[in-house]
Amino acid sequence: MFDPFTYLGFLAGQTSKIALGISSIALPLHHPLHVAKAATSIDQLSGGRMILGVASGDRPDEYPAMGIDFESRGEQFREAFEYIRKVQEDFPDFDNQFGKVNGHMDMLPKAQGSKIPLLITGSSRQTLEWNAKHADGWMTYPKNLYQQNDTIRQWREMIAKDFNHDKPFMQPLYVVLEANDDAKPQPIQLGFRIGANYLLDYFHQLEEIGVNHVAINLRFNSVPMETTLNKLAEKVLDPIHSEKKELQS
């Protein structure tokens, strides 16, 4: 894997409209000042398209390699999350385990908007209530439709306690797109081997239960990537966008 910030800097120069996101930076493994500066730099270079996914990290071997305590990663995540929020303010003044900023120094550049959107992945060892209150959105793993519907319901209820607006819910999906558009879904890890027509139907079902965004992962794809992307665009994404346009007109 490429370093995500290096790769997004490259993608910022190759694209003009699509959002640029990371899913996700394990915050305890990085100093939050470096994370914030890298994210805001990409946001400026891309014209405000940066979305930052963050998590506590769950791989025990990574922590001793960095000399960082694995068991306290939940607390470290909260402190790093707070640091990233605070350091984006003008001449911030705060103190936590990652450092003290005394109001005489400013971090530049700033995000083009009011802040870099922070999307929490999984629980990140926090309560759902904490995540709903502090995150700008939530990314979590795919489940069967009944379980995911219940998860989204709990998320929306928690948000409503503190906000008058909603926050997006996202999930990834591993997809192996079959040559036969009518191929029925066969489960794989965190996704399906599936035909385009059934994938379109599945996306409609996700929309009905409140999923706002899906990250399609083609890691296990065996067909040439350009062929797969063209089929996804033609058979799945174009119909969805056409439906949206019809509803708006």
Side-chain angles (χ1 to χ4, degrees), residues 43-95:
D43 191 66
Q44 282 288 340
L45 291 170
S46 67
R49 293 184 283 137
M50 178 65 187
I51 300 171
L52 182 58
V54 294
S56 61
D58 59 4
R59 298 185 179 98
D61 291 343
E62 292 181 342
Y63 280 76
M66 301 285 290
I68 299 170
D69 179 59
F70 180 71
E71 296 303 325
S72 65
R73 66 194 186 281
E75 178 187 354
Q76 294 180 63
F77 173 86
R78 289 193 303 275
E79 295 271 296
F81 191 101
E82 178 190 39
Y83 193 110
I84 292 171
R85 284 285 200 234
K86 293 285 189 182
V87 81
Q88 293 183 72
E89 299 173 0
D90 293 331
F91 295 95
D93 186 356
F94 66 94
D95 185 3

Side-chain angles (χ1 to χ4, degrees), residues 2-22:
F2 295 127
D3 173 81
F5 291 117
T6 303
Y7 190 33
L8 284 180
F10 171 78
L11 291 177
Q14 303 294 315
T15 60
S16 59
K17 295 181 180 180
I18 63 171
L20 302 172
I22 296 176

Side-chain angles (χ1 to χ4, degrees), residues 28-210:
L29 298 177
H30 305 266
H31 195 285
L33 179 58
H34 294 156
V35 173
K37 188 170 182 69
T40 54
S41 296
I42 293 167
D43 191 66
Q44 282 288 340
L45 291 170
S46 67
R49 293 184 283 137
M50 178 65 187
I51 300 171
L52 182 58
V54 294
S56 61
D58 59 4
R59 298 185 179 98
D61 291 343
E62 292 181 342
Y63 280 76
M66 301 285 290
I68 299 170
D69 179 59
F70 180 71
E71 296 303 325
S72 65
R73 66 194 186 281
E75 178 187 354
Q76 294 180 63
F77 173 86
R78 289 193 303 275
E79 295 271 296
F81 191 101
E82 178 190 39
Y83 193 110
I84 292 171
R85 284 285 200 234
K86 293 285 189 182
V87 81
Q88 293 183 72
E89 299 173 0
D90 293 331
F91 295 95
D93 186 356
F94 66 94
D95 185 3
N96 73 15
Q97 67 172 282
F98 288 101
K100 181 177 181 178
V101 183
N102 59 14
H104 300 301
M105 181 172 62
D106 205 11
M107 185 203 75
L108 297 174
K110 302 294 185 185
Q112 284 215 349
S114 60
K115 62 183 178 181
I116 294 291
L118 290 174
L119 310 180
I120 291 178
T121 299
S123 69
S124 293
R125 300 189 68 80
Q126 313 305 315
T127 64
L128 182 58
E129 185 173 12
W130 191 95
N131 288 339
K133 185 172 182 178
H134 293 88
D136 296 308
W138 186 26
M139 297 184 285
T140 193
Y141 299 105
K143 304 173 185 175
N144 67 57
L145 291 172
Y146 178 82
Q147 289 178 310
Q148 200 71 306
N149 183 52
D150 188 56
T151 298
I152 294 169
R153 177 189 57 78
Q154 294 179 56
W155 167 247
R156 307 288 185 211
E157 288 176 353
M158 289 294 181
I159 293 169
K161 291 182 178 180
D162 296 294
F163 302 94
N164 294 321
H165 61 268
D166 205 354
K167 297 182 180 183
F169 179 93
M170 291 147 284
Q171 70 165 62
L173 187 71
Y174 282 82
V175 171
V176 176
L177 198 61
E178 298 280 33
N180 178 7
D181 291 344
D182 292 316
K184 294 182 178 180
Q186 301 293 323
I188 61 173
Q189 180 185 9
L190 301 177
F192 300 105
R193 182 180 295 276
I194 194 170
N197 292 335
Y198 278 95
L199 182 60
L200 179 59
D201 288 342
Y202 180 66
F203 283 162
H204 284 142
Q205 292 174 313
L206 291 180
E207 184 177 29
E208 288 177 5
I209 66 171

